[in-house]
Amino acid sequence: DVQMTQSPSNLAASPGESVSINCKASKSIGKYLAWYQQKPGKANKLLIYSGSTLQSGTPSRFSGSGSGTDFTLTIRNLEPEDFGLYYCQQHNEYPLTFGSGTKLEIK
Amino acid sequence: QVTLKESGPGILQPSHTLSLTCSFSGFSLSTYGMGVSWIRQPSGKGLEWLASIWWNDDTYNNPSLKSRLTVSKDTSNNQAFLKVTSVDTADTATYYCTHTLPANWFAYWGQGTLVTVSS
């Protein structure tokens, strides 16, 4: 199985700031990484797939980069609604696997 | 507009079989490339992919659950199903169904259904 190591586990930032979340795969997954946002009481939301392709409706302040084993989700100019949990997921091979999550909190 | 909704028993006893239903709209599991996946999340923990079923009846299961999983579909009623046999307390989790696209990302999610395994 491809192990996904996500860091940091917790992150505190203020609105207007930029943050980065990292995801490292235990072997090359090409460009096949997705990012999701999870918030209480809401359905999980796909933000980015194939490493850097924004899902329809994802604000442009979100961006994804990386390939092979190392990937980054960057959120620029944080908005209050961006706070929550973020997960990466490799979609290169079965079994599909997720990172352990990053909790983004308001400082 | 794609929507999905999971339904299940809420609570069941150890060793029993968990049966979950995903009712969806906005796409058809008879359309080329469409899939439904099941994912679970124990409270306060991360996400675990369980199984996927595709428009062409192909299915994929997480080998970590060995042969306990069965995924199926009813195309005419826009439903997908998951059965988990021999449940124990470690199967207590929120179970999600998702609209899955051919490159295996989860485009839309249901709100999830909480399943508690307890005697």
Side-chain angles (χ1 to χ4, degrees), chain B residues 31-86:
Chain B
T31 300
Y32 179 89
M34 296 296 103
V36 166
S37 298
W38 291 92
I39 292 158
R40 71 180 179 182
Q41 184 174 35
S43 178
K45 297 190 177 180
L47 298 161
E48 179 183 30
W49 169 77
L50 298 176
S52 299
I53 186 164
W54 295 96
W55 84 100
N56 60 358
D57 295 329
D58 280 353
T59 62
Y60 297 87
N61 292 352
N62 194 325
S64 70
L65 279 85
K66 298 187 172 61
S67 56
R68 297 174 55 214
L69 300 175
T70 303
V71 61
S72 58
K73 62 185 173 78
D74 178 350
T75 302
S76 57
N77 287 307
N78 284 343
Q79 291 182 317
F81 310 97
L82 179 71
K83 289 190 189 300
V84 185
T85 60
S86 304

Side-chain angles (χ1 to χ4, degrees), chain A residues 36 38 44 87 89 91 94, chain B residues 41 54 103-106 109:
Chain A
Y36 302 88
Q38 184 174 64
N44 293 344
Y87 289 93
Q89 175 237 334
H91 56 94
Y94 290 110
Chain B
Q41 184 174 35
W54 295 96
N104 283 313
W105 63 79
F106 308 118
W109 297 60

Side-chain angles (χ1 to χ4, degrees), chain B residues 8 23 28 71 97 109 118:
Chain B
S23 301
S28 172
V71 61
C97 65
W109 297 60
S118 174

